[in-house]
Amino acid sequence: MTVFVAAYLISASLLAAEPVARSARDCPVAGQEARSSLPVLARDLRSKNAFLPSAIGFDSDGLRGLQTSGQTKGNIICRVPRGSIIVANGHAKEMNKRPIDALSATLLEEVRLGQQSGHIAYIQSLPEPNDPSLTNIGGVWDDEQLEWLCHPPAAEKFRKLRSLRDAFIERNDNQDDNNEDDRCRPGWAYDLSSSRALEGPFGRNGAVRSTLLGTLASFLAAFSPLLYLQDLSKMPFEPSIPLILSVVALVSTLTSDEVELGMLPWIDVANHKSTSSLHLGYDLLRDGIVLKGGAGSGNVEFDYGGRNGISNDKLLGEFGFVEVDNPNDILEVAVAGAIVVNFGRYGVVNKSAAEISDDEILESARKARCALVAGFSSQTSVPTDPIAVGRFKMASQWRNEKIR
């Protein structure tokens, strides 16, 4: 049992994010007073025994992020109780196959509850729909805007992200409700959860803690197995049944391969930086989610891709920004038709077909690079719509990093 618990806690350092996009629509559901609601969120979390030595602030460019004034005990940047995070409920899991869809459906239920939701302080602190951090996400760009990338493989990726979002909205749109505000809520909920969700483990919605306590209680209440260590054959079987069942439940919970996604208030405000040493963990004793590491003072940043890293395709397609000099960035190049070769910062990352010659790969890479470079001179008509302008700039930054 100790081995399984240790393995679970070690695995809590892994971090990932799931697709897909945030909305560029205007939707007065929540987040309209995001800045002023931050103290409300802090009070709400502290009332639930959260540990918040860090703060949510805005830099000189108006970018919201997590900030800390220095080292704290145990290098804990913040700890929020498990009960304050949003995870997919049972009904949402039954109705949605994809974990991110189930989480989005759960968030949508909380949004529709309004002031009756136990997460209202968190929901009201989320960015407004017209915030650049939402409107720049590549997964909601239209086809004309995707042409600004000058790279068909990336454009196709973003179209798939958009189709997943549209499918969720169609399934969750309340066709009988004439309230326009409510009709835009599915897209808003999906956009927020899919672009902010983090991957656990986060305690399996309390199952880890409850099964562990149940096992310990069964061990102590049923009998004292230590009395029979010298001769297990004399140990009565009937009293051991609850203990056996508890152990089976605990092992099943700890070894489950079900993806565990959650929306983490306060923690999900931290910005991205590749190769960051910060990590998430589950505090079994306090039943909370912890962000910790040697952050020092200033802005708190961690790697959204966890140990595997994350490319600019995913960052732009799902988060709405491009990381400069991203060490994990790759360029997908189509060679000999449908065969895709990945180029990393230090050469070929993946060559899927051995029969492709190096000359073919280099020629295809040269053509792809020329198309990216030509994009800077061919796009002389700059859009005037504020949302389109932001996306135009993101496309330019994305191409520049691919050329790099």
Side-chain angles (χ1 to χ4, degrees):
M1 181 176 68
T2 303
V3 173
F4 284 111
V5 173
Y8 186 87
L9 296 179
I10 291 174
S11 66
S13 63
L14 299 178
L15 173 64
E18 270 281 306
V20 171
R22 294 176 182 172
S23 174
R25 302 181 186 179
D26 288 330
C27 181
V29 177
Q32 299 296 328
E33 303 295 336
R35 295 194 182 208
S36 61
S37 65
L38 293 180
V40 176
L41 176 61
R43 288 196 299 269
D44 178 73
L45 291 174
R46 289 193 174 104
S47 70
K48 301 173 182 176
N49 297 320
F51 178 55
L52 306 176
S54 55
I56 296 177
F58 297 83
D59 62 17
S60 58
D61 297 324
L63 180 64
R64 187 170 71 163
L66 202 61
Q67 300 173 339
T68 180
S69 58
Q71 297 288 345
T72 60
K73 184 178 180 180
N75 287 332
I76 295 177
I77 297 169
C78 57
R79 181 180 62 244
V80 298
R82 180 187 52 78
S84 67
I85 74 174
I86 299 178
V87 295
N89 59 39
H91 177 261
K93 290 180 180 179
E94 293 178 0
M95 301 301 296
N96 298 271
K97 295 181 179 180
R98 298 174 66 237
I100 193 61
D101 288 354
L103 178 60
S104 302
T106 302
L107 175 61
L108 178 59
E109 293 180 12
E110 296 295 331
V111 169
R112 284 174 168 163
L113 285 174
Q115 294 295 329
Q116 302 302 316
S117 170
H119 301 280
I120 186 61
Y122 174 46
I123 293 173
Q124 290 180 336
S125 73
L126 295 171
E128 299 178 11
N130 60 352
D131 190 283
S133 65
L134 304 180
T135 59
N136 287 341
I137 292 174
V140 295
W141 294 14
D142 61 34
D143 288 340
E144 180 180 355
Q145 293 164 349
L146 291 178
E147 294 299 321
W148 296 340
L149 299 174
C150 301
H151 193 63
E156 184 59 29
K157 279 185 180 180
F158 292 177
R159 289 190 185 94
K160 290 181 179 179
L161 296 178
R162 189 177 63 196
S163 68
L164 291 172
R165 177 185 185 274
D166 291 343
F168 175 85
I169 294 174
E170 184 177 357
R171 291 195 307 271
N172 291 274
D173 187 13
N174 191 346
Q175 298 294 339
D176 297 330
D177 195 333
N178 294 323
N179 188 328
E180 186 62 27
D181 289 350
D182 188 73
R183 288 180 62 85
C184 72
R185 285 173 177 169
W188 186 79
Y190 181 84
D191 295 340
L192 284 171
S193 62
S194 59
S195 61
R196 303 174 76 88
L198 301 176
E199 185 174 339
F202 301 137
R204 298 289 176 195
N205 201 21
V208 171
R209 187 179 175 87
S210 62
T211 54
L212 177 60
L213 293 177
T215 300
L216 295 175
S218 298
F219 183 88
L220 297 174
F223 51 85
S224 180
L226 297 178
L227 299 176
Y228 303 94
L229 288 179
Q230 293 182 347
D231 189 357
L232 294 178
S233 63
K234 295 181 179 181
M235 185 173 66
F237 177 72
E238 290 78 7
S240 68
I241 294 178
L243 177 59
I244 294 174
L245 295 178
S246 298
V247 171
V248 171
L250 177 61
V251 172
S252 176
T253 301
L254 294 177
T255 58
S256 173
D257 59 356
E258 180 183 1
V259 176
E260 191 176 9
L261 296 177
M263 294 187 66
L264 281 58
W266 207 267
I267 293 177
D268 65 6
V269 177
N271 292 313
H272 165 80
K273 181 180 181 180
S274 291
T275 68
S276 171
S277 62
L278 303 187
H279 63 275
L280 285 176
Y282 173 60
D283 188 333
L284 182 63
L285 296 178
R286 296 178 177 83
D287 195 22
I289 315 303
V290 180
L291 177 64
K292 62 188 304 184
S297 59
N299 294 328
V300 176
E301 300 169 316
F302 66 89
D303 194 335
Y304 290 176
R307 294 181 177 179
N308 297 323
I310 188 170
S311 71
N312 278 332
D313 291 4
K314 190 176 182 68
L315 288 175
L316 179 57
E318 301 172 15
F319 297 93
F321 68 91
V322 174
E323 182 180 12
V324 176
D325 202 17
N326 184 350
N328 302 302
D329 202 15
I330 61 172
L331 175 65
E332 294 186 354
V333 176
V335 182
I339 300 175
V340 175
V341 175
N342 294 333
F343 284 83
R345 298 299 301 274
Y346 306 105
V348 176
V349 175
N350 175 50
K351 183 178 178 181
S352 57
E355 65 272 13
I356 303 177
S357 67
D358 291 340
D359 289 341
E360 288 180 293
I361 294 176
L362 291 176
E363 178 62 18
S364 298
R366 185 190 66 80
K367 291 180 179 179
R369 187 180 188 280
C370 289
L372 294 171
V373 173
F376 288 99
S377 58
S378 61
Q379 298 172 359
T380 56
S381 178
V382 179
T384 57
D385 175 74
I387 291 178
V389 169
R391 295 175 180 178
F392 187 86
K393 292 180 179 179
M394 285 295 106
S396 178
Q397 292 181 18
W398 183 89
R399 293 196 311 272
N400 188 64
E401 290 304 310
K402 296 299 178 180
I403 293 172
R404 184 197 296 268

